[in-house]
Amino acid sequence: MRGRGGWGYPLFERSRELGGGELSAPRLRSDTPEKAGLDPGELRHLVREVHDLTTGQRPWAAGAVVAAGRGPVIAVAEAAGWAVRYAAYDPKTDRGAELPPRARVPMTVDTPFDLASLTKLFTAVAAVQQIERGTLGIDARVGAYLPEFRAAAEHGITVRQLLTHTSGLRPELPLYDCPDDATRLAMLRAEPPVGVPGTYTYSDLNLLLLQHVLERITGRRLDALVHDGITRPLGMTSTRFGPCPGAAATEDQRRPWAKADRGMLRGEVHDENAWALGGVAGHAGLFSTARDLAVFCRTLLAGGSYGPARILGPDFVELLLTPPGLGFAVDQPWFMGELAGRGAAGHTGFTGTSLVLDPATDTYLVLLANTVHPRRRPPDNRPRARAATRLARAVRGS
């Protein structure tokens, strides 16, 4: 079940070895649903429903890519709709101004997407890598690493609280309205918790502070940590911080519905704060493809290894995914559907991206869409939940 630009994967070669004599973890390959131990009928429904999401005058998304599989097999890799469909958004008609057909860009399975908050998962993995190495304490206070972040230091915010969104920090700050980097940094340093520490409040600021911690203890930028510690060893060559020419378009970003006046965005980070911070941020900024994210999911399901590479040990993958999850959301039916309930982990992104991996069934689902093209609207997570439910039923019906 492949859409435009389908992939091929090398078969697992058992002669390849990890350090210490361990056999390589199997690499992904494309094959039939039956070879993956999945019901082909449910996956046909999944593919049809993803195509339906991109049709009509007011589609859920202009375009989408879905990848799903079990074990080392990708059983679905399908593209639908358009990577670029609209020239602009018309607030008078509340519709997108459609490009002529010849000027539109069709979606393919290799189209990169602005991952938005899926970036948080990579920041979380980078943090757990430092925990594994002993350079970062999970229950250490942020002030021990960043004493100049006086508000976080005074309130005893810990690394664990940043990773579990229990620091009490507000969801975001208007860094995009600051005149320069120094003002933005001063605002972050002075920001105190507004909620009760220990109580869950989802916040981009948690991952921004964690980015500063990681950069302080390693002496390296976050983009280098992600590249050298995650994407390069896993062969995720399409995953990087922007700009990313050829990415699916996102929003005609203008006030008052957006927080900045930037016009139609394609290949530049959508999140206004990440843009203000130069495109590299702990909470947003990465671009990637469905194939690369399937590799990321497979690596975690395999205990941190993929092919000859190991990015985390199994105990630290377990730490990452054990409820409530470090960076990852765990067992959330609102976007995981019937996959939720036995330890499924994943995340969503504002631009329309999501992924779910389920250790209980060894399955993974990547659904990437440009739902904010041509402009943002209240999120509708029902299509994500339906897609995940199709995969759960494909396991049960196999």
Side-chain angles (χ1 to χ4, degrees):
M1 293 185 178
R2 300 187 208 171
R4 307 181 186 102
W7 317 317
Y9 293 90
L11 294 173
F12 172 39
E13 296 176 1
R14 293 188 63 84
S15 62
R16 303 188 70 178
E17 294 187 327
L18 294 164
E22 259 186 272
L23 290 173
S24 298
R27 294 178 182 270
L28 289 174
R29 69 180 191 272
S30 293
D31 215 321
T32 64
E34 290 87 351
K35 289 290 186 179
L38 296 170
D39 178 68
E42 290 291 346
L43 296 188
R44 283 193 293 270
H45 285 304
L46 168 61
V47 167
R48 186 191 70 243
E49 289 166 359
V50 168
H51 277 278
D52 289 346
L53 293 172
T54 67
T55 61
Q57 291 300 309
R58 293 183 181 273
W60 181 70
V65 177
V66 61
R70 191 178 194 184
V73 176
I74 290 226
V76 170
E78 187 81 9
W82 303 96
V84 184
R85 177 174 174 174
Y86 304 100
Y89 168 71
D90 183 353
K92 293 180 180 179
T93 62
D94 190 28
R95 291 179 181 273
E98 293 199 86
L99 291 163
R102 66 182 180 279
R104 299 176 196 173
V105 179
M107 194 72 77
T108 76
V109 293
D110 296 314
T111 298
F113 284 77
D114 180 337
L115 294 187
S117 284
L118 295 194
T119 302
K120 294 180 171 73
L121 303 183
F122 290 81
T123 306
V125 169
V128 173
Q129 287 177 330
Q130 296 304 316
I131 293 168
E132 181 177 24
R133 293 168 188 163
T135 56
L136 180 65
I138 189 169
D139 290 309
R141 295 191 173 194
V142 170
Y145 306 107
L146 302 171
E148 71 275 21
F149 281 62
R150 58 188 183 277
E154 289 170 4
H155 289 84
I157 291 174
T158 68
V159 171
R160 187 188 297 272
Q161 289 174 338
L162 298 182
L163 282 163
T164 56
H165 295 283
T166 56
S167 66
L169 292 170
R170 72 183 74 194
E172 67 172 2
L173 288 171
L175 303 177
Y176 47 84
D177 277 339
C178 294
D180 51 46
D181 288 343
T183 308
R184 282 185 276 272
L185 184 57
M187 183 179 287
L188 276 174
R189 288 175 172 174
E191 178 65 15
V194 296
V196 178
T199 302
Y200 180 85
T201 302
Y202 182 81
S203 172
D204 289 348
L205 303 186
N206 289 318
L207 279 297
L208 282 174
L209 261 65
L210 187 59
Q211 174 187 1
H212 282 278
V213 170
L214 292 173
E215 292 181 342
R216 176 65 54 85
I217 65 176
T218 64
R220 307 184 70 206
R221 279 172 41 118
L222 179 64
D223 51 350
L225 294 174
V226 169
H227 176 264
D228 292 346
I230 304 173
T231 61
R232 182 177 58 80
L234 296 181
M236 296 172 62
T237 56
S238 297
T239 305
R240 61 187 182 276
F241 286 93
C244 182
T250 54
E251 185 176 30
D252 182 4
Q253 199 169 89
R254 288 182 275 157
R255 300 176 195 263
W257 57 84
K259 302 162 190 171
D261 291 299
R262 301 167 62 200
M264 184 61 76
L265 300 177
R266 186 186 185 198
E268 295 185 17
V269 63
H270 175 271
D271 182 270
E272 292 94 341
N273 275 344
W275 164 68
L277 292 167
V280 178
H283 71 289
L286 275 176
F287 289 77
S288 188
T289 62
R291 177 203 183 279
D292 271 16
L293 292 178
V295 170
F296 183 67
C297 291
R298 183 68 220 140
T299 300
L300 296 175
L301 288 168
S305 296
Y306 184 77
R310 183 183 77 83
I311 63 167
L312 280 175
D315 290 347
F316 290 90
V317 173
E318 184 177 356
L319 176 66
L320 193 73
L321 303 182
T322 296
L326 301 181
F328 286 76
V330 179
D331 285 336
Q332 299 296 313
W334 60 272
F335 78 94
M336 298 178 184
E338 293 178 14
L339 279 179
R342 292 184 294 174
H347 214 286
T348 65
F350 186 81
T351 52
T353 58
S354 62
L355 66 80
V356 184
L357 54 99
D358 182 25
T361 59
D362 200 23
T363 55
Y364 40 92
L365 173 73
V366 178
L367 179 58
L368 304 179
N370 51 353
T371 58
V372 297
H373 184 52
R375 69 153 286 186
R376 67 187 72 187
R377 299 186 184 278
D380 178 4
N381 291 294
R382 291 173 296 178
R384 292 165 166 158
R386 282 196 298 268
T389 292
R390 285 294 183 194
L391 181 57
R393 293 177 180 177
V395 174
R396 294 198 295 268
S398 62

